[in-house]
Amino acid sequence: MLVKNNEDLYELLDSLLREPTEFWDTFYKDKERNVPFFCDRPDEHLVKYIEKETIKPRNVLEIGCGNGRNAIYLAQKGCNVTAVDLSQQAIDWAKEQADVQNVNIQFICENIFNLKLESQKFDYIYDSGCFHHLSPHRRVSYIQFINKYLKNNGYFSISAFKENGKYGGSSLSDKQYYMDRSLHGGLGYSKEKLQILFSDFQEIEIRDMQHNNLSQNEFGLEDFIVCLFRKI
């Protein structure tokens, strides 16, 4: 590959690490696997943001939608939802779930960095577990993505591995991932790291994900960190 622009560089760096599509198709193929988020409950912080009207979204983009549990919840709350995942297995499962719940969601199977949607269309972007599976150089693409598709004064949320947590969350240096040619199951984040990475946005909340004393309609996991930012 002859590197002639930033995207060429990003693709070169991508090639040093695991190609994700095959992995995630295999991951979602067996719906009976003992995976905590293979359920039909939305994330606890998403429920709180909506129920307490911290945000009042109309047009929502969910990235890394998995089996559709959060997209379905948002659609049930009256949002126009576009949900994206790079795994066709995940998208097929999500469509099945949406049909059962009789909600209309636009599902797209695509890598988020290849999406072709209307710019600044969404007033809320939701990410439950996508960000921590991105390689360090793709954080740059991620922030560009948020700025491209999120309206001014719109909100975006992330739930991600905490560093050295139960379910993942590597705390290696960015350089080490490329030296090892592995993301070691996912990158871990602290509040301080998230504040640095998203310093151009207004911080609304950064906290641990709640996992105890939740209602039967909420999902939470220990050793996850959740955040809410606003584009200013």
Side-chain angles (χ1 to χ4, degrees):
M1 170 184 282
L2 178 65
V3 174
K4 60 184 181 297
N5 54 44
N6 285 343
E7 191 55 37
D8 287 343
L9 175 60
Y10 295 160
E11 290 180 4
L12 174 62
L13 293 172
D14 286 342
S15 72
L16 299 178
L17 301 163
R18 180 186 67 199
E19 200 290 317
T21 304
E22 182 178 353
F23 172 85
W24 289 112
D25 274 339
T26 301
F27 184 86
Y28 280 104
K29 188 173 184 179
D30 182 3
K31 301 175 186 177
E32 304 303 319
R33 291 181 64 193
N34 184 25
V35 177
F37 53 85
F38 279 15
C39 65
D40 59 3
R41 290 170 287 132
D43 292 336
E44 59 86 9
H45 54 294
L46 176 62
V47 173
K48 291 177 175 62
Y49 297 153
I50 298 297
E51 299 298 332
K52 295 181 179 180
E53 297 189 342
T54 304
I55 58 174
K56 300 178 182 179
R58 178 172 175 79
N59 295 314
V60 178
L61 173 63
E62 185 185 7
I63 53 180
C65 68
N67 71 351
R69 60 191 177 86
N70 291 304
I72 290 169
Y73 170 78
L74 287 162
Q76 289 172 331
K77 293 298 178 180
C79 300
N80 300 316
V81 182
T82 300
V84 182
D85 202 288
L86 58 73
S87 166
Q88 188 63 57
Q89 292 284 347
I91 291 295
D92 290 345
W93 187 3
K95 287 180 177 178
E96 291 174 5
Q97 298 285 87
D99 288 344
V100 169
Q101 297 298 324
N102 194 30
V103 292
N104 184 27
I105 297 170
Q106 181 185 11
F107 287 108
I108 301 174
C109 182
E110 185 60 271
N111 185 309
I112 62 170
F113 303 123
N114 296 331
L115 276 181
K116 305 295 182 185
L117 300 172
E118 181 182 344
S119 297
Q120 296 191 347
K121 175 181 179 180
F122 301 97
D123 45 36
Y124 186 41
I125 296 178
Y126 190 65
D127 172 353
S128 180
C130 176
F131 183 68
H132 59 224
H133 288 297
L134 299 180
S135 50
H137 66 279
R138 281 299 181 181
R139 296 186 196 121
V140 179
S141 306
Y142 187 93
I143 292 173
Q144 292 171 341
F145 176 92
I146 296 294
N147 278 314
K148 179 177 181 179
Y149 289 114
L150 188 63
K151 293 179 179 178
N152 291 334
N153 296 311
Y155 294 85
F156 73 94
S157 302
I158 294 172
S159 65
F161 291 144
K162 290 177 64 177
E163 292 180 317
N164 301 313
K166 177 179 178 181
Y167 295 97
S170 172
S171 59
L172 296 174
S173 68
D174 286 351
K175 179 181 179 180
Q176 193 65 48
Y177 296 116
Y178 298 102
M179 294 179 65
D180 295 347
R181 300 189 69 165
S182 172
L183 297 182
H184 293 277
L187 281 61
Y189 289 95
S190 64
K191 178 177 181 178
E192 292 73 24
K193 284 184 177 179
L194 292 171
Q195 287 174 325
I196 291 170
L197 291 171
F198 297 105
S199 59
D200 290 339
F201 298 87
Q202 179 187 2
E203 176 188 331
I204 306 300
E205 173 180 73
I206 302 177
R207 63 168 173 83
D208 289 350
M209 186 179 227
Q210 296 178 10
H211 62 281
N212 291 321
N213 301 317
L214 298 177
S215 77
Q216 293 182 344
N217 298 319
E218 296 178 315
F219 174 81
L221 275 179
E222 61 181 317
D223 293 329
F224 268 62
I225 190 167
V226 302
C227 55
L228 178 66
F229 292 96
R230 185 171 70 93
K231 180 180 175 182
I232 54 177

